[in-house]
Amino acid sequence: MKKIFITLLAITALSACDIDRYPYGSMDSETIVNDPDASLESLLTGMYAQLKTWSDPMHRCGEYAGDNMMIRGSSTDAFYEFISYARTPNNYRLTQFWDSGYKAIAQASNIIGMIDEGQNAEIDSKIGESYYVRGMLYFYLCRAYGRPYYQNPQTNPGVPIVNGTPEDIINLELPDRATVKETYEQAISDLKKAEELLSVDKGPIFASKEAAQAMLSRIYLYMSGTYTTPNPEYAQLAVDYADKVINSGKYSLLPREQFMKYNTFVPENNAETIFAIKRVASEYSGYDHYYGVGGMYANIGGMGWGEMYASAKYIDLLDETGRNDWRTDSYNMVDARAAFIEPTYSTDANTGEYTEVFRFIKEDGDVLNYVQAETTRNGGIITAKDGDDTYTLIPVDTDQEIYSILYNDGKTYTGVIDNFITLNRVYPQFYITKASKEGEDTHLHSPLISRLGEIYLNRAEAYAKLKNYDAAIIDLNTIRERAIVGGGYSSLDASNASERIDKERQLELAYQAERSYDVFRNGKELTRQYPGPHNQFEDISATDFRVVYYIPQDAINSYPGTLTQNPTQ
C-alpha cells in the first residue's frame, strides 16, 4: 500500500515556509486506516502543540502595538519593534509567529486530507477541530500581515493559502499571497466546515462548534466596515453568529466577584471560556516562567522580568467612573477590570510604613512622566514636595482623594493621593496579572482565544453598525454593568456608539491581543500620549504602512515560489 507520511510534531511542516521533507514521527496510511480514532488523537495533539508556540508571539504582536501597556525603557528584544513601530522584516518573534502558524496549518490540512468524513461522529468532530484551527490561523495571520478589511480587500495581499503538502515536493512551487478577501474567505469556509462537523464538545481547551461560531462572529465583525461606512451584510452575520454562541446556553458570564479572578481559573473550570490554548505547569521549569507572556508584565514570587506596566491611558479609563484604589486599607475596585492591575507599593525599610505621595503626570517639553511627590498633612491642608518646591494641593474630589496643583511650569495637573509605588527606572510599576496566576502558579496562563464577554461586545458593535441602538445598548450594558455596578449607559446613538463600544472593548479585552487590531479595523488612530519610551505624541493612522507587519525575511528567502513583501512606506 502506498505510504502516506505525516509528522506528529511538524507534519511535513512549513518552517519559514520550508517543507520538512523527512518528517520525524511519521505515520503510514495502514496505521490510520486500521485505527483512525487513535491515530487522529495523536495527530491532533501535535496540531494543538503548535498553537502553544504560536500563541506567545501572537500575543506580543497584538498587544504590544496597542495602548494598554507601556515598557520601562527601550529594549534589544525583537518585541520592542512592536511597541516602537520600527518595523523590520528580520524579527525572530514574527518568524516564530509565521512558522508555528503555518506548521499548524500544514498539520491541520494533512489531517483533513488523510481522514474520510462520515465514519462516525467522533472522527468527524476531530476533523472539524482541524478545520477550526486552520481557519482560525488564516484569520490571525491575515490580520497581522494583511491590511484592515475595509481597505480594498480585493487587492491588498493577505497570506499564502497552502492547504496541505503538494504531492510533488521535489519541484515544489507554492502560491504567492492571496488577497485579504480570499484569505478571509478561506478562513470562513474552514470555520463553517468546522461548525458543520463538530458535534462532540470536549470542553474549552479543544475546538468546538461554538468556538467556530465565536470566531465567525469576530471575522464578520472585522469585515463589517467602519462606523461611518458600515457593511450591513457582514454586520448582520456577526450578529447571527454571536446569537448562536449566546443562545447555545453552554457558556455564562462570570459574576463580578468571580470575573475579578478570571485569570486564576483553569479554562476547563471557567464557564465563560469558549476556547483557550491549554498550558500546564510541567511545560515550564525553573526560570522558564520569566519568558512567558506574563513574565514581562509582573514579577510574582520572584519570577518574571516585570518590565511592562498598565499604561496611564488604560488606568484613566478604569478610573473614568470612579477611582480604583489598590491600597490595602482602602481597597476598592470601582471597575472590576482594575483587579487585574497590581501596583507594587513600597514600604520604608526602617519603619515598614507606606509613604504617602501625590502622584500625577507632568509635561516636560515633549515628554510626559510620572511624579510621586511626598505629602505632608497639617489639619485640612495637604502639601506635596517635588524637588525644592512645595505645593498646596487643591481639592477636586476629597472623597476619592483626587487633587490638583498649580505646578512651577504654570500648568495645572490633576492626580491622586496614594502610597509610593516602586519605580523601575523612572516608572511606577503598575503590574498586570491578567496573563498570570492560573491555578495560582506565578505566570502560568492559557491564552484566551474566545470568551463569552467578547461575543456580547461583538454583537453590540454589529448592532450599532446596523443602527439598532436599542439592541446594542443591552449587550453593551450587559458587559459594562458586570464590571461597574450601576455603570450602565442610559442611551446609545450615532453620536456616541463608536466611542462607548470601542472603549468597552478596550477595557474588557485588554491584554488579550485584540486592542491594536480593534483600533485600525475601524479606521481610527492609535494615540499613546502617556509616559513611556515610545514616541508619545505620534499618532498612528489606520492607513500607516506600519499597521501591518513585514513578512519575515527568512520566510521569503526560503519560500519555494514568489512571496511578496509588504510595502515599506
Side-chain angles (χ1 to χ4, degrees):
M1 181 178 290
K2 180 181 177 181
K3 300 288 185 179
I4 304 174
F5 294 94
I6 301 175
T7 62
L8 295 178
L9 297 178
I11 304 176
T12 52
L14 295 170
S15 178
C17 260
D18 227 358
I19 294 296
D20 180 353
R21 298 178 183 179
Y22 300 97
Y24 171 76
S26 60
M27 181 178 296
D28 65 34
S29 57
E30 284 185 37
T31 302
I32 294 174
V33 170
N34 291 336
D35 194 356
D37 198 38
S39 301
L40 266 174
E41 281 295 339
S42 296
L43 299 173
L44 287 168
T45 297
M47 180 186 70
Y48 282 116
Q50 288 298 336
L51 296 184
K52 298 181 183 185
T53 304
W54 166 84
S55 65
D56 182 283
M58 177 275 290
H59 176 97
R60 297 180 199 273
C61 67
E63 193 62 48
Y64 295 0
D67 52 4
N68 295 325
M69 51 72 65
M70 54 84 65
I71 190 171
R72 66 168 191 168
S74 61
S75 174
T76 58
D77 193 294
F79 64 54
Y80 190 67
E81 292 183 4
F82 307 159
I83 301 168
S84 65
Y85 279 79
R87 302 289 186 245
T88 71
N90 297 305
N91 185 304
Y92 82 89
R93 291 190 181 274
L94 285 178
T95 298
Q96 183 187 41
F97 179 57
W98 178 277
D99 287 355
S100 54
Y102 270 106
K103 285 179 181 179
I105 285 172
Q107 290 171 318
S109 296
N110 285 331
I111 292 170
I112 291 165
M114 178 67 65
I115 309 297
D116 292 332
E117 298 174 24
Q119 298 182 56
N120 57 56
E122 288 74 19
I123 289 177
D124 276 0
S125 284
K126 289 171 183 175
I127 299 171
E129 291 178 62
S130 301
Y131 275 108
Y132 168 82
V133 168
R134 192 171 75 179
M136 182 265 288
L137 286 170
Y138 275 129
F139 168 65
Y140 270 81
L141 288 166
C142 190
R143 75 174 187 174
Y145 296 109
R147 298 207 64 82
Y149 195 86
Y150 81 93
Q151 299 174 12
N152 303 315
Q154 300 91 344
T155 55
N156 282 330
V159 296
I161 296 174
V162 185
N163 293 338
T165 307
E167 289 189 9
D168 183 2
I169 62 173
I170 302 301
N171 303 300
L172 183 61
E173 184 165 355
L174 296 177
D176 198 356
R177 297 165 67 183
T179 65
V180 167
K181 183 175 186 290
E182 289 166 341
T183 311
Y184 271 61
E185 287 172 346
Q186 176 67 51
I188 289 169
S189 175
D190 283 344
L191 290 164
K192 287 184 175 180
K193 187 66 174 179
E195 180 188 23
E196 172 193 330
L197 293 174
L198 278 158
S199 61
V200 178
D201 189 343
K202 299 189 292 186
I205 63 173
F206 299 96
S208 65
K209 181 187 296 291
E210 288 73 28
Q213 293 165 344
M215 192 57 57
L216 284 163
S217 81
R218 189 193 300 176
I219 291 176
Y220 281 123
L221 190 69
Y222 272 59
M223 299 170 70
S224 67
T226 66
Y227 286 93
T228 54
T229 56
N231 184 307
E233 176 188 355
Y234 294 136
Q236 185 59 56
L237 285 166
V239 168
D240 294 344
Y241 277 98
D243 283 345
K244 291 183 178 184
V245 178
I246 293 168
N247 296 337
S248 72
K250 289 186 176 181
Y251 312 96
S252 58
L253 294 174
L254 295 184
R256 187 178 196 271
E257 294 301 317
Q258 293 295 302
F259 173 70
M260 292 166 71
K261 298 183 286 186
Y262 199 110
N263 56 311
T264 68
F265 300 132
V266 297
E268 301 95 316
N269 296 333
N270 193 321
E272 190 167 331
T273 298
I274 298 168
F275 180 62
I277 299 167
K278 177 67 173 178
R279 305 305 305 266
V280 294
S282 61
E283 294 170 357
Y284 299 90
S285 62
Y287 283 81
D288 286 354
H289 273 306
Y290 265 81
Y291 299 93
V293 167
M296 286 305 299
Y297 291 143
N299 181 297
I300 301 172
M303 288 286 179
W305 303 105
E307 296 179 4
M308 293 181 179
Y309 316 122
S311 70
K313 180 177 183 178
Y314 187 69
I315 292 170
D316 284 347
L317 282 180
L318 289 170
D319 287 343
E320 194 174 64
T321 55
R323 179 191 173 184
N324 296 281
D325 195 337
W326 291 280
R327 292 174 293 182
T328 303
D329 59 354
S330 54
Y331 187 81
N332 180 40
M333 297 293 96
V334 175
D335 191 318
R337 280 98 40 137
F340 304 119
I341 311 299
E342 295 184 5
T344 59
Y345 290 124
S346 177
T347 56
D348 185 275
N350 297 318
T351 67
E353 299 293 325
Y354 294 108
T355 300
E356 185 181 84
V357 297
F358 176 62
R359 187 173 55 257
F360 62 99
I361 294 172
K362 72 170 182 177
E363 297 179 17
D364 186 4
D366 59 353
V367 176
L368 302 171
N369 211 341
Y370 286 98
V371 175
Q372 296 191 102
E374 189 169 345
T375 60
T376 300
R377 293 178 183 261
N378 184 7
I381 304 299
I382 305 174
T383 58
K385 185 174 177 59
D386 180 32
D388 295 330
D389 297 319
T390 300
Y391 303 92
T392 298
L393 301 189
I394 304 167
V396 174
D397 186 330
T398 55
D399 288 341
Q400 298 189 79
E401 294 194 291
I402 301 173
Y403 293 82
S404 67
I405 60 168
L406 179 60
Y407 202 61
N408 61 14
D409 61 2
K411 298 176 182 178
T412 298
Y413 299 113
T414 300
V416 297
I417 290 179
D418 201 356
N419 294 331
F420 180 83
I421 298 174
T422 307
L423 299 178
N424 196 328
R425 297 188 181 173
V426 296
Y427 302 113
Q429 297 181 141
F430 286 93
Y431 279 173
I432 301 159
T433 61
K434 199 174 186 182
S436 302
K437 294 188 176 182
E438 185 176 311
E440 302 295 347
D441 186 357
T442 58
H443 295 299
L444 184 60
H445 172 63
S446 293
L448 271 168
I449 300 298
S450 295
R451 64 179 174 90
L452 189 60
E454 180 210 341
I455 307 307
Y456 276 101
L457 291 172
N458 290 354
R459 195 168 69 175
E461 181 179 332
Y463 273 139
K465 289 176 176 176
L466 291 168
K467 304 189 186 308
N468 187 349
Y469 298 111
D470 289 342
I473 196 172
I474 293 172
D475 283 340
L476 182 63
N477 281 343
T478 295
I479 299 304
R480 187 166 178 82
E481 289 174 354
R482 175 185 53 181
I484 306 169
V485 177
Y489 294 114
S490 59
S491 65
L492 196 73
D493 55 41
S495 69
N496 57 29
S498 170
E499 181 266 332
R500 290 180 173 180
I501 292 170
D502 287 359
K503 177 172 64 179
E504 209 59 33
R505 287 187 71 91
Q506 180 172 8
L507 285 165
E508 183 73 11
L509 305 180
Y511 317 115
Q512 291 179 215
E514 298 297 323
R515 174 59 182 165
S516 59
Y517 302 116
D518 272 351
V519 172
F520 299 133
R521 68 177 174 80
N522 270 317
K524 297 188 176 182
E525 288 186 336
L526 181 76
T527 60
R528 298 183 294 172
Q529 294 181 17
Y530 53 79
H534 59 276
N535 190 335
Q536 297 174 2
F537 293 94
E538 178 190 31
D539 296 338
I540 310 295
S541 74
T543 57
D544 194 298
F545 76 97
R546 295 169 296 171
V547 165
V548 296
Y549 293 105
Y550 287 124
I551 303 295
Q553 191 62 44
D554 286 347
I556 292 175
N557 292 344
S558 60
Y559 195 72
T562 299
L563 185 55
T564 302
Q565 183 58 278
N566 279 322
T568 58
Q569 61 181 5

